[in-house]
């Protein structure tokens, strides 16, 4: 039986989009990938996926819209049951962990990298595959873009400092899920992909990479998502903002 037509709407730097793309690869499903323009994606997303659904990712399954990384993975598991993203022996715990990753950890994967780029805007050039630090003219553009991103994400220095201080406790929870056997198995489940994608994008920030790489949870990022483009050198954040590894 032929698979349905799948059209995935993404923003290139989005880690929830990386989650869904990884899930589609795990399932072996063919899909069309449509990149939307950053900063101009809200209106087309709302038109396709309904009022209020302005964020990515979104997936059309034979034209039927499914919005958000966790709902998409749940639909993919119904569409192609094997290999399962919600293994029967721990389905409830995987579902709970994936929702925790979406609700508690995912936003740090937005705020901490954009926060670091405020202090090192030239590093925005490294976000493209093979890219390097920007020249002065490019840095001028990056500074405007980063400031707009702070406004879009309602990011403040207070919020950023609180996120950095909270990160070790959140990583403790991820490591506990690994110790419990909910994460880190031979094959990825939905929670592995949801949480691993966020850790992968956090690792581009040199100030927080040691906090992750010293822990078991680092493998969730590197095993399923490799090395993402991007490198914000260590020392971007003011002294005292980043906890010690």
């Amino acid at each position: 039986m032929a698979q349905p037509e799948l059209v995935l709407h993404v923003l290139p730097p989005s880690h929830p989009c990386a989650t869904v793309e990884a899930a589609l690869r795990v399932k072996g499903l063919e899909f069309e990938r449509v990149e939307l323009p950053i900063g101009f994606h809200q209106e087309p997303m709302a038109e396709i996926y309904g009022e209020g659904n302005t964020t990515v990712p979104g997936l059309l399954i034979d034209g039927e819209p499914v919005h958000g990384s966790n709902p998409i993975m749940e639909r993919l598991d119904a569409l192609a049951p094997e290999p399962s993203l919600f293994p029967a022996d721990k389905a409830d715990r995987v579902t709970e962990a994936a929702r925790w990753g979406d609700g508690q950890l995912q936003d740090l994967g937005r705020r901490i990298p954009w926060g670091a780029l405020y202090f090192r805007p030239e590093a925005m050039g490294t976000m493209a595959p093979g890219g390097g630090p920007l020249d002065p003219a490019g840095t001028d553009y990056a500074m405007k873009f980063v400031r707009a991103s702070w406004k879009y994400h309602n990011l403040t220095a207070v919020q950023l400092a609180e996120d950095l201080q909270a990160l070790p406790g959140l990583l403790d929870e991820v490591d506990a899920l690994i110790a419990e056997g909910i994460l880190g198995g031979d094959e990825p489940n939905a929670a592995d992909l949801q949480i691993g994608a966020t850790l992968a994008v956090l690792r581009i920030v040199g100030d927080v990479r040691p906090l992750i790489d010293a822990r078991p949870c680092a493998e969730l990022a590197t095993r399923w998502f490799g090395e993402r483009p991007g490198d914000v050198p260590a020392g971007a954040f003011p002294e005292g903002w980043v906890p010690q590894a």
Side-chain angles (χ1 to χ4, degrees):
M1 184 176 179
Q3 73 161 64
E5 180 184 45
L6 303 177
V7 180
L8 179 65
H9 292 94
V10 303
L11 293 177
S14 165
H15 47 297
C17 291
T19 293
V20 172
E21 290 188 65
L24 286 160
R25 291 194 297 269
V26 168
K27 296 293 188 181
L29 295 169
E30 296 182 0
F31 64 99
E32 179 184 356
R33 184 178 187 272
V34 178
E35 290 189 6
L36 299 175
I38 298 174
F40 300 94
H41 61 283
Q42 297 97 327
E43 184 174 338
M45 285 296 293
E47 289 176 356
I48 298 168
Y49 294 97
E51 185 177 355
N53 293 327
T54 60
T55 59
V56 290
L59 181 69
L60 296 177
I61 304 175
D62 279 343
E64 178 187 353
V66 185
H67 181 258
S69 51
N70 282 336
I72 290 171
M73 287 193 287
E74 291 168 6
R75 285 296 302 275
L76 291 179
D77 224 45
L79 180 64
E82 297 298 333
S84 179
L85 296 173
F86 301 88
D89 62 335
K90 52 185 177 182
D92 289 346
R93 292 289 285 125
V94 168
T95 299
E96 181 183 353
R99 290 175 180 171
W100 175 87
D102 178 46
Q104 300 298 317
L105 186 65
Q106 190 184 99
D107 276 346
L108 272 67
R110 300 181 181 95
R111 295 195 296 254
I112 289 177
W114 284 119
L117 285 169
Y118 182 88
F119 299 100
R120 295 299 299 268
E122 78 283 358
M124 190 169 142
T126 69
M127 303 303 166
L134 297 172
D135 62 12
T139 301
D140 277 337
Y141 172 80
M143 290 169 68
K144 296 176 183 178
F145 195 93
V146 171
R147 287 176 186 140
S149 297
W150 271 52
K151 183 177 180 180
Y152 176 75
H153 292 296
N154 296 314
L155 185 54
T156 66
V158 170
Q159 176 69 71
L160 181 55
E162 290 175 351
D163 285 342
L164 290 165
Q165 292 298 316
L167 182 58
L170 296 172
L171 298 178
D172 285 343
E173 296 193 47
V174 179
D175 285 343
L177 289 168
I178 293 172
E180 188 182 344
I182 305 305
L183 306 177
D186 292 336
E187 299 296 332
N189 60 47
D192 286 308
L193 300 181
Q194 181 67 260
I195 293 169
T198 299
L199 298 179
V201 75
L202 285 170
R203 289 186 71 253
I204 71 174
V205 180
D207 281 325
V208 301
R209 191 180 305 129
L211 299 177
I212 298 170
D213 287 356
R215 295 169 169 268
C217 64
E219 188 180 6
L220 293 183
T222 57
R223 185 177 183 186
W224 305 122
F225 297 95
E227 296 290 338
R228 283 184 62 118
D231 181 25
V232 184
F237 292 119
E239 185 176 355
W241 286 26
V242 181
Q244 294 294 313

